[in-house]
């Protein structure tokens, strides 16, 4: 079984913000499969389904970004999903806008949502799919991540999310992280 988690903050106020690119990715993937996050449990929304013969859970924590680990660890424990079968989709300010980078494991890199998941799972060894939101030029970090995508950035992110959906399809189908990293990094 695979667990794919998009990080973000709940509520309309945050819906299209840079920090919610993980939610946007899950929503786009769900739309492509005519799915809805129809269950609310463990402080988040999720759906459990079968895609191309593989059991998969798609999830969005509703705990706010900095406490995402509670939802992820409870889902993983309840459904007995191993860390290597958990893929977390996150924003990353250290990447250029809309750039995708896959990682097999690693530190939180200053991302509080990832830090919470590491604490919740008790390991750094879970895959991440990072989507670049670049560093702010004239804004504080908080104002930047909580602001919506605009202009060319919005188009670039939308195109990038198409690629994220493609990656998720391959991850669910069992392609190794090494192969995915070689293809998309």
């Amino acid at each position: 079984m695979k667990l794919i988690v998009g990080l973000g903050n709940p509520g309309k106020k945050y819906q299209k913000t840079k920090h919610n690119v993980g939610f946007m990715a899950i929503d786009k993937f769900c739309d492509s499969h005519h799915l809805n996050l129809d269950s609310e449990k463990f402080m988040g929304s999720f759906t459990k389904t079968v895609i191309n013969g593989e059991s998969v859970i798609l999830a969005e924590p509703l705990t706010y970004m900095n406490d995402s680990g509670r939802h992820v660890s409870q889902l993983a424990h309840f459904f007995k999903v191993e860390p290597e079968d958990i893929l977390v989709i996150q924003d990353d300010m250290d990447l250029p806008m809309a750039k995708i980078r896959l990682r097999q494991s690693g530190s939180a890199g200053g991302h509080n949502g990832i830090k919470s998941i590491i604490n919740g799972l008790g390991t750094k060894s879970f895959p991440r799919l990072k989507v670049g939101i670049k560093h702010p030029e004239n804004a504080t970090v908080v104002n930047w991540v909580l602001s919506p995508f605009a202009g060319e950035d919005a188009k670039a992110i939308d195109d990038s999310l198409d690629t994220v959906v493609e990656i998720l399809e391959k991850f669910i189908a069992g392609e190794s992280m090494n192969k995915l990293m070689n293809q998309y990094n």
Side-chain angles (χ1 to χ4, degrees), residues 10-59:
K12 287 205 180 292
K13 169 179 169 177
Y14 301 107
Q15 203 167 26
K16 297 291 181 184
T17 64
K18 295 171 184 74
H19 224 17
N20 274 37
V21 76
F23 278 16
M24 291 177 208
I26 292 293
D27 293 345
K28 190 157 197 155
F29 185 84
C30 285
D31 288 348
S32 74
H33 285 273
H34 309 289
L35 298 169
N36 292 306
L37 301 181
D38 52 11
S39 298
E40 282 201 21
K41 198 172 183 178
F42 311 119
M43 296 167 281
S45 295
F46 67 95
T47 191
K48 185 177 180 226
T49 190
V50 175
I51 298 174
N52 297 327
E54 181 68 41
S55 293
V56 61
I57 299 164
L58 302 160

Side-chain angles (χ1 to χ4, degrees), residues 8 25 31 39 41 81 87 106 122 128 131 150 178:
D31 288 348
S39 298
K41 198 172 183 178
V81 181
L87 180 62
R128 296 92 192 264
V131 179
N178 281 337

Side-chain angles (χ1 to χ4, degrees), residues 14-151:
Y14 301 107
Q15 203 167 26
K16 297 291 181 184
T17 64
K18 295 171 184 74
H19 224 17
N20 274 37
V21 76
F23 278 16
M24 291 177 208
I26 292 293
D27 293 345
K28 190 157 197 155
F29 185 84
C30 285
D31 288 348
S32 74
H33 285 273
H34 309 289
L35 298 169
N36 292 306
L37 301 181
D38 52 11
S39 298
E40 282 201 21
K41 198 172 183 178
F42 311 119
M43 296 167 281
S45 295
F46 67 95
T47 191
K48 185 177 180 226
T49 190
V50 175
I51 298 174
N52 297 327
E54 181 68 41
S55 293
V56 61
I57 299 164
L58 302 160
E60 295 176 355
L62 298 178
T63 55
Y64 291 93
M65 181 68 75
N66 295 353
D67 205 14
S68 298
R70 289 173 52 194
H71 178 61
V72 175
S73 63
Q74 288 180 34
L75 274 176
H77 177 74
F78 184 82
F79 290 108
K80 298 175 178 39
V81 181
E82 295 298 322
E84 63 269 13
D85 291 321
I86 300 170
L87 180 62
V88 177
I89 307 165
Q90 67 173 100
D91 61 291
D92 191 325
M93 286 192 314
D94 292 330
L95 292 174
M97 185 60 70
K99 171 80 173 153
I100 293 172
R101 176 146 312 137
L102 290 150
R103 289 286 178 252
Q104 199 144 6
S105 64
S107 71
H111 195 288
N112 289 329
I114 297 296
K115 185 187 297 183
S116 175
I117 294 169
I118 289 169
N119 289 337
L121 293 176
T123 183
K124 297 176 185 177
S125 297
F126 58 90
R128 296 92 192 264
L129 193 164
K130 302 177 178 193
V131 179
I133 62 167
K134 77 180 180 182
H135 265 285
E137 294 171 18
N138 298 314
T140 65
V141 168
V142 171
N143 287 341
W144 179 251
V145 300
L146 297 180
S147 67
F149 294 102

